[in-house]
Amino acid sequence: MTSDLLAPLDLAFWNMESDRHPMHLGALGVFAAHSPTAGAHAADLLVARAAAVPGLRMRIRDTWQPLAFGGATRESDPDFDPLDHVRLHAPAGDFHAAAGPLMQRPLERGRPPWEAHVVPGEDGASFAVLFKFHHALADGLRALKLAAGVLDPVDLPERAPRAVEPPLGLLSDVRRLPARVPGLVRGALSDVGRALDIGASLARSTLGMRPCAALTSVPSGTRRTAGVVLDIDDVHRVRKNAGGTVNDVLIAVVAGALRRWLDERGDGSEGVAPRALVPVSRRRPRTAQPQGNRLSGYLIRLPVDEPDPLGRLAAVRTAMLRNKDAGADRGAGAVALLADHVPALGHRLGGPLVGQAARLWFDILVTSVPMPGFGLRLGGHELSEVYPLAPLAPGQALAIAISTYRGRVHYGLVADARAVPDLDRFARAVSAEMQTLLSVCDR
């Protein structure tokens, strides 16, 4: 049986998990149904197709090998049974209300860490599928590929494979070692400098900040989800009139929604500038078989205390440009890169502490999840909406994931259900903020 070691960041995600803070990604897809039995048929298809997707057979097991002591491996489960992972639920009138309790349940760690929950709609005109993948098994891109493996096949033009330089062999590596020593030394010194830079930036990021109590919580282990849909054409109208990128506009919408939400619930937005972690993929383009999470991030202050909508967008644009100029391997947002320099046993022993330290690093996660430009189907039923759902770090009350699919932007919101009982109010604030930006730009 073949196996491969978990990458350092995957190992960190695996070890920082707790019952109250499961480390799985989610995606809630809503499909148009052709009949009241469409949901049950979809569940049968998922069971039948899962067995043919190798990545869905992979489980994670601890290893105590000398060179990976305290680590974990990803290997095929000889007892894999798709029926353990696909579940058909009773019909529901609100798919997000059904998804919240399902998102709060940790995945079974003794078998491949993924699940697919099928929820028929009460009206018979739609059904939803909630996919859950552990972050140690897949990042957003890998999770999308795994989910696509059980959806209807899509005919795409084949890309020519990239040329790969053949390995030179052990003897050649030994002969080349003397010439590589100076580069290895420079690389080690660069890593030390980068670690110091990240640490210093993280310390500076906590200065002069008013804590936002609404974004922190005593962990309850409960989850609530909500979703918002925007028109991508509206986002482009704002971008063309006010400047910046699509991502800048979407983040500025979050800042404005937070301002509305805080003021409406009586917490107040004056002086509030929470630190948002914006993950950045470090995966090389067109990598055929990505293995392991390759993530860094940008850390920006959301200008929640700025009263002018265009001022908020300008502040987000400036902060994002500053991060891009510095690069994704520097600054406070790049803490995830330090996982590469921690031994496996260190991740195992320090995982819970790392999870608890997340609140010192950032206040809210705002992440973008890639989606294909073509339509997806399951059993011939068209995927009409897809809401990405991010894991919630310990001590944090809200996480936001964004995807663009078929001309529409989907915000997937995950919150601690006790800390944020009014998540629907925040969802309405997102829509209202987009309308405000449009009205300001159209003047």
Side-chain angles (χ1 to χ4, degrees):
M1 180 185 299
T2 60
S3 63
D4 63 278
L5 286 172
L6 258 62
L9 190 53
D10 296 339
L11 189 59
F13 287 138
W14 187 247
N15 284 300
M16 71 173 60
E17 181 174 62
S18 67
D19 289 341
R20 293 192 172 189
H21 286 92
M23 291 300 298
H24 53 251
L25 311 170
L28 180 65
V30 179
F31 296 81
H34 299 160
S35 71
T37 61
H41 177 57
D44 291 340
L45 280 177
L46 293 174
V47 170
R49 293 173 177 176
V53 181
L56 296 180
R57 292 176 167 269
M58 305 305 285
R59 64 180 177 181
I60 296 174
R61 302 191 71 186
D62 296 337
T63 180
W64 302 101
Q65 300 173 6
L67 296 180
F69 191 77
T73 60
R74 191 183 292 109
E75 61 182 46
S76 182
D77 183 357
D79 300 319
F80 174 67
D81 185 348
L83 290 172
D84 292 333
H85 302 265
V86 179
R87 291 161 191 155
L88 178 63
H89 295 266
D94 184 336
F95 294 136
H96 285 288
L102 295 175
M103 279 296 291
Q104 74 190 34
R105 300 178 190 172
L107 293 166
E108 174 60 56
R109 291 170 71 94
R111 57 193 180 204
W114 69 273
E115 292 174 351
H117 297 268
V118 181
V119 184
E122 287 182 345
D123 58 2
S126 62
F127 66 90
V129 180
L130 173 64
F131 288 102
K132 294 167 57 177
F133 296 97
H134 199 286
H135 217 330
L137 179 70
D139 60 7
L141 179 59
R142 180 66 171 165
L144 174 62
K145 290 186 176 183
L146 291 174
V150 292
L151 299 180
D152 292 356
V154 179
D155 293 327
L156 297 175
E158 293 187 4
R159 291 180 175 179
R162 299 181 67 186
V164 178
E165 183 178 347
L168 296 175
L170 179 60
L171 183 58
S172 297
D173 286 343
V174 171
R175 289 173 177 171
R176 295 171 62 200
L177 186 58
R180 296 173 58 196
V181 167
L184 293 173
V185 173
R186 286 194 299 271
L189 293 175
S190 175
D191 288 343
V192 172
R194 180 171 60 185
L196 292 174
D197 177 80
I198 292 172
S201 298
L202 182 60
R204 289 194 297 270
S205 73
T206 63
L207 299 176
M209 180 186 70
R210 174 194 157 188
C212 181
L215 297 180
T216 61
S217 70
V218 176
S220 69
T222 59
R223 293 292 180 271
R224 187 185 304 274
T225 72
V228 184
V229 181
L230 305 180
D231 192 321
I232 190 62
D233 290 339
D234 290 342
V235 178
H236 282 299
R237 280 170 57 194
V238 173
R239 176 187 63 80
K240 291 177 181 178
N241 281 277
T245 66
V246 166
N247 203 39
D248 294 340
V249 176
L250 298 179
I251 295 173
V253 166
V254 171
L258 284 171
R259 178 181 177 85
R260 291 172 180 271
W261 179 59
L262 291 172
D263 288 343
E264 287 177 5
R265 69 195 328 239
D267 292 333
S269 58
E270 184 178 353
V272 174
R275 298 162 301 171
L277 177 64
V278 182
V280 177
S281 175
R282 299 179 69 245
R283 211 179 280 296
R284 293 182 179 180
R286 298 180 63 180
T287 301
Q289 294 294 332
Q291 293 295 326
N293 282 278
R294 300 292 299 164
L295 293 173
S296 182
Y298 297 146
L299 197 69
I300 71 169
R301 291 285 187 93
L302 292 180
V304 173
D305 56 350
E306 169 58 57
D308 177 23
L310 294 182
R312 289 194 291 270
L313 177 54
V316 168
R317 181 184 181 187
T318 299
M320 289 298 287
L321 284 173
R322 187 183 303 116
N323 275 283
K324 292 173 184 176
D325 288 342
D329 61 346
R330 296 276 178 177
V335 168
L337 298 181
L338 301 183
D340 291 342
H341 307 289
V342 177
L345 188 59
H347 282 296
R348 179 176 294 277
L349 298 178
L353 294 177
V354 171
Q356 294 297 326
R359 72 181 72 186
L360 303 177
W361 178 17
F362 62 97
D363 303 298
I364 186 171
L365 179 74
V366 183
T367 184
S368 178
V369 179
M371 287 295 296
F374 50 85
L376 298 172
R377 293 174 179 270
L378 177 57
H381 304 279
E382 183 179 2
L383 176 65
S384 57
E385 303 170 33
V386 57
Y387 301 92
L389 303 172
L392 201 59
Q396 295 176 344
L398 178 64
I400 300 172
I402 308 170
S403 68
T404 301
Y405 175 70
R406 306 290 282 173
R408 300 199 294 175
V409 178
H410 295 81
Y411 282 78
L413 313 176
V414 177
D416 183 291
R418 292 184 187 173
V420 187
D422 57 344
L423 186 61
D424 289 341
R425 176 188 287 177
F426 178 77
R428 292 192 295 271
V430 171
S431 297
E433 181 62 18
M434 186 73 246
Q435 291 305 312
T436 296
L437 279 170
L438 283 171
S439 63
V440 171
C441 289
D442 290 341
R443 287 177 187 170

